[in-house]
Amino acid sequence: MPPVTLLEWFGSAERDLPWREPGLSGWHILVSEIMSQQTPVSRVVEPWTRWMARWPTPSALAAETPGEVVRAWGRLGYPRRALRLHECARVLAEEFDDTVPDDVDVLLGLPGIGEYTARAVACFAYGRPVPVVDVNVRRVIARSVHGRAEPANPARRDLADAEALLPRDADGAYAATAPRFSAALMELGALVCTARVARCEQCPLEPSCEWVRRGRPAHDGPPRRTARYEGTDRQARGRLLDVLRDTSGPVERAALDLAWERDPGQRARALDSLLVDGLVEVTDDGLFTLAGES
């Protein structure tokens, strides 16, 4: 895989995303990474912009109630991320002087920060030459290096594969372009080497791609399962949260019942899960509110 070719491609294909502007803090990058998990980037730009204007530092977010943070999260999906981000902001404000650390191991000790997010923040916010692996990177590596149409299940080997591709200087040290190379690899999987369509004619790696060399063999494993949303418990949870996000005070159970009438048992199950997750609370008089607003 020729890194210069990929970097040249990235120079013209890089998307104009607000969190790629120069001079942003680690907090800006951390929020963008949390919001982008399991969510299309196109849906993240506007909420991220609003959040950064409203809460430009961890302490600003930590000062809000958890419920207000969930309300501002809106319809980004997986609202537990908002609660974990709020908890992380509190730790950053209290223990790290309002600064996001640049070390992967320290980042991994923060609430809600997993392997990918820790490496992404260290790499994209602070220029650390660490491998960053998401589903897009795993797909590009599976095809270009291993000749497979789809990646295998996530494994520790993924980090080693990505690290082996990072450009190095003549003395073996990581090149200064290593962090940008990681971003380019991810962008390639998001825009060209996608799960739905492999646009090999647009790919800078096509001349050396092992999958192309093998004739682009079809995936030989079980078919990918597409998670449905319509009618699921997740959709029911979202409808119930919508009621609470759109009100400024506690609501009666009847208001939640109207939000999901198709299956009372499913509605009850969804509400119980929201309570267990700490997204919703019950007041002393039996009303329902977002977390921290009772």
Side-chain angles (χ1 to χ4, degrees):
M1 180 181 295
V4 173
T5 302
L6 179 59
L7 289 173
E8 288 175 345
W9 170 85
F10 191 44
S12 60
E14 181 180 6
R15 286 173 291 183
D16 182 19
L17 301 175
W19 48 85
R20 287 177 172 169
E21 293 293 325
L24 297 182
S25 70
W27 173 243
H28 290 79
I29 307 305
L30 174 61
V31 174
S32 75
E33 291 295 341
I34 297 294
M35 285 186 168
S36 299
Q37 293 171 8
Q38 298 176 288
T39 304
V41 166
S42 60
R43 292 183 54 203
V44 174
V45 172
E46 185 176 344
W48 180 89
T49 302
R50 291 199 305 266
W51 272 56
M52 291 300 94
R54 184 175 181 182
W55 299 309
T57 61
S59 57
L61 183 66
E64 290 285 2
T65 65
E68 183 58 27
V69 174
V70 172
R71 181 175 286 109
W73 191 259
R75 290 164 175 79
L76 274 175
Y78 303 99
R80 278 178 292 182
R81 290 181 292 169
L83 287 184
R84 296 296 277 168
L85 184 55
H86 182 259
E87 185 181 354
C88 182
R90 180 184 57 78
V91 173
L92 291 171
E94 295 176 357
E95 301 179 20
F96 291 89
D97 195 26
D98 235 15
T99 301
V100 176
D102 62 358
D103 181 83
V104 170
D105 290 334
V106 177
L107 285 161
L108 285 170
L110 296 173
I113 305 302
E115 188 80 40
Y116 165 78
T117 304
R119 291 176 173 276
V121 171
C123 181
F124 303 141
Y126 298 109
R128 300 292 182 260
V130 296
V132 183
V133 178
D134 70 350
V135 65
N136 292 315
V137 171
R138 291 179 60 243
R139 186 186 318 107
V140 171
I141 291 176
R143 291 173 179 169
S144 64
V145 176
H146 301 299
R148 298 194 303 263
E150 298 295 336
N153 292 329
R156 293 297 300 179
R157 176 184 174 180
D158 297 334
L159 286 174
D161 283 346
E163 186 172 21
L165 299 177
L166 294 179
R168 295 177 182 266
D169 294 329
D171 60 0
Y174 289 115
T177 56
R180 184 162 175 80
F181 180 87
S182 291
L185 200 63
M186 193 175 299
E187 195 86 332
L188 187 69
L191 300 181
V192 175
C193 194
T194 69
R196 187 180 299 273
V197 179
R199 301 179 177 87
C200 297
E201 70 282 358
Q202 302 176 23
C203 181
L205 308 182
E206 191 270 343
S208 61
C209 177
E210 182 65 12
W211 186 52
V212 171
R213 189 191 69 79
R214 295 182 183 183
R216 296 177 37 152
H219 179 52
D220 59 2
R224 295 193 307 270
R225 297 178 60 184
T226 302
R228 67 183 180 91
Y229 180 70
E230 181 65 30
T232 61
D233 284 6
R234 185 175 160 226
Q235 185 184 29
R237 282 165 54 100
R239 293 285 179 82
L240 300 182
L241 275 181
D242 285 346
V243 173
L244 298 173
R245 275 194 293 251
D246 293 341
T247 59
S248 58
V251 303
E252 296 181 350
R253 176 65 180 265
L256 299 178
D257 291 345
L258 290 174
W260 191 261
E261 297 181 292
R262 67 173 70 182
D263 185 339
Q266 185 181 40
R267 180 179 65 233
R269 186 167 64 246
L271 181 56
D272 285 344
S273 71
L274 291 171
L275 291 166
V276 169
D277 288 345
L279 290 160
V280 174
E281 296 176 351
V282 183
T283 67
D284 292 339
D285 50 356
L287 301 178
F288 294 86
T289 71
L290 291 176
E293 298 185 348
S294 60

